[in-house]
Amino acid sequence: METLSARADTEKEKAITTPKPPGKRMKSVWRSIVQQKYLYLMSMPFIVWVFVFSYLPVWGWTMAFQNYKPSKSFSQQKWVGFKNFVDLFHDERFYLVLRNTLAMSLMGLVAGFIIPILFAVLLNELRGKYFKRTVQTVSYLPHFVSWVVVAGIITKMLSMDGIVNELLIQLHVIDGPVQFMAEGKYFWGIVTASDVWKETGWNAIIYLAAITGIDRELYEAARVDGAGRFRQIWNITLPGIRTTISVLLIMSIGHLIGIGFEKQFQLSNSLVTDYSEVLDLYALKYGIQISRFSYGTAISMFTSVVSIILLLTANGIMKKTTKESIM
């Protein structure tokens, strides 16, 4: 019996490891499509949406290699090769904007990635059911507030007669009011702090969902072994959400250079332009306002290509070090 069982196992392993002929593979694929045809039909609208709004516009990258004129057809455009990229890398303003982008991106990555994890872990440790739900609800409500409203609140709070100046004067931290919104050295910190306040609760939701998937028997076994709450967090909670942390970190690194422009645009003013202008604002300024469409496309193309490189690099490093990957 043991010999027959071992032979059967060997035959199964051979069937699994032996590659199927191309014809059989295609039949297997079509059989799978037929069996799951409703799932494929449900996914079709999303595939079409992604193709139309994410892949089809990539054709517009050809503008970066042209001296694009809206009045001319595609065949009439003048091709200039890499001239727009050469102009971009010779523009001193570009490096200033790149510095601002990387600085705010790194500050946002550190604060906006670590704080939601800590908040989710601490929120999970709350014992009061209703208090926990109330705190969670209040924490993610700012996510639904427009940046226009948030910028107005932040500007009012940091004004000369705002609550922040009054509080600091009362605590004898400063002797007189400070013009926070008029000094560039404060701008990066203001943007980072406002973004953390707005998004921490929302970003913590996915970590809370991952924590709820951890087997509760692990915590019970740890308590039996005498582990305190801190040891449970360190040895059970954080390892339990490691995969989620790794995936979100990889995606955050991929967006390191493409951080958008909404908060910078709303909080900026003419006095702090040298600290507030980021790549997306730079592309908007030169691509739309000055009508240098090809130059603006070159800026956006540079941002996209660097983002892809960062994403692939971060994914490769994570795959080698932690065995976690998103592709």
Side-chain angles (χ1 to χ4, degrees):
M1 292 294 293
E2 292 181 0
T3 305
L4 292 174
S5 177
R7 187 180 299 170
D9 292 339
T10 304
E11 291 178 356
K12 286 182 180 179
E13 290 178 1
K14 287 182 178 179
I16 294 172
T17 56
T18 302
K20 296 180 180 180
K24 289 187 177 180
R25 284 204 300 267
M26 288 302 299
K27 288 182 180 179
S28 177
V29 170
W30 282 110
R31 190 181 301 114
S32 175
I33 292 174
V34 172
Q35 291 175 349
Q36 303 181 26
K37 56 182 177 295
Y38 295 112
L39 292 176
Y40 285 107
L41 287 174
M42 290 173 61
S43 64
M44 280 303 297
F46 301 100
I47 294 174
V48 172
W49 185 89
V50 170
F51 176 77
V52 171
F53 292 100
S54 297
Y55 288 95
L56 198 59
V58 173
W59 172 256
W61 279 8
T62 56
M63 292 168 56
F65 306 97
Q66 301 170 338
N67 184 16
Y68 180 77
K69 302 295 181 184
S71 59
K72 297 181 180 180
S73 65
F74 180 80
S75 59
Q76 295 175 328
Q77 301 296 335
K78 180 182 178 181
W79 293 87
V80 295
F82 291 94
K83 179 181 181 301
N84 291 309
F85 293 94
V86 172
D87 293 342
L88 176 65
F89 294 128
H90 281 83
D91 186 1
E92 295 182 0
R93 188 73 184 176
F94 166 72
Y95 294 100
L96 179 66
V97 170
L98 184 61
R99 181 206 66 178
N100 297 338
T101 304
L102 291 176
M104 282 183 274
S105 294
L106 291 172
M107 291 172 67
L109 178 64
V110 174
F113 185 74
I114 295 176
I115 293 178
I117 296 174
L118 295 176
F119 180 74
V121 170
L122 294 175
L123 195 61
N124 182 65
E125 294 299 313
L126 293 177
R127 293 291 180 257
K129 180 180 178 180
Y130 296 103
F131 179 70
K132 178 179 178 180
R133 289 182 177 178
T134 302
V135 172
Q136 184 178 356
T137 302
V138 172
S139 67
Y140 69 65
L141 282 178
H143 170 78
F144 301 98
V145 180
S146 168
W147 267 110
V148 178
V149 178
V150 173
I153 295 172
I154 297 298
T155 302
K156 183 62 178 176
M157 290 177 61
L158 296 176
S159 62
M160 296 284 286
D161 56 348
I163 187 173
V164 174
N165 269 310
E166 291 184 7
L167 183 61
L168 292 177
I169 292 173
Q170 291 294 328
L171 295 174
H172 302 289
V173 177
I174 57 177
D175 297 326
V178 178
Q179 294 181 336
F180 291 103
M181 301 302 296
E183 297 190 30
K185 62 182 180 181
Y186 297 122
F187 187 81
W188 296 346
I190 292 171
V191 169
T192 303
S194 58
D195 190 44
V196 168
W197 170 79
K198 189 175 186 296
E199 302 296 342
T200 292
W202 181 259
N203 292 337
I205 292 176
I206 191 168
Y207 298 113
L208 286 168
I211 290 173
T212 57
I214 299 174
D215 190 354
R216 309 312 297 180
E217 293 182 359
L218 295 174
Y219 292 98
E220 295 176 4
R223 283 193 290 269
V224 171
D225 290 339
R229 296 177 74 174
F230 179 78
R231 299 296 299 177
Q232 293 176 38
I233 292 172
W234 186 257
N235 294 304
I236 299 175
T237 304
L238 291 178
I241 61 174
R242 185 183 67 181
T243 300
T244 304
I245 293 174
S246 300
V247 170
L248 292 179
L249 178 60
I250 293 171
M251 295 178 67
S252 298
I253 293 174
H255 290 90
L256 196 63
I257 199 170
I259 60 174
F261 66 89
E262 292 87 355
K263 46 185 176 288
Q264 289 84 7
F265 181 76
Q266 298 294 337
L267 292 169
S268 178
N269 57 69
S270 59
L271 298 175
V272 295
T273 304
D274 288 345
Y275 292 86
S276 65
E277 192 173 12
V278 292
L279 281 172
D280 287 340
L281 272 176
Y282 185 61
L284 179 65
K285 176 181 177 181
Y286 282 92
I288 303 298
Q289 295 180 355
I290 306 181
S291 299
R292 294 180 65 185
F293 301 106
S294 297
Y295 190 73
T297 305
I299 300 169
S300 299
M301 187 175 176
F302 168 81
T303 303
S304 300
V305 171
V306 172
S307 296
I308 293 172
I309 294 173
L310 288 173
L311 178 65
L312 295 176
T313 303
N315 185 73
I317 293 173
M318 283 290 183
K319 194 172 184 178
K320 288 184 178 180
T321 56
T322 65
K323 307 302 180 183
E324 303 292 347
S325 173
I326 62 173
M327 52 178 116

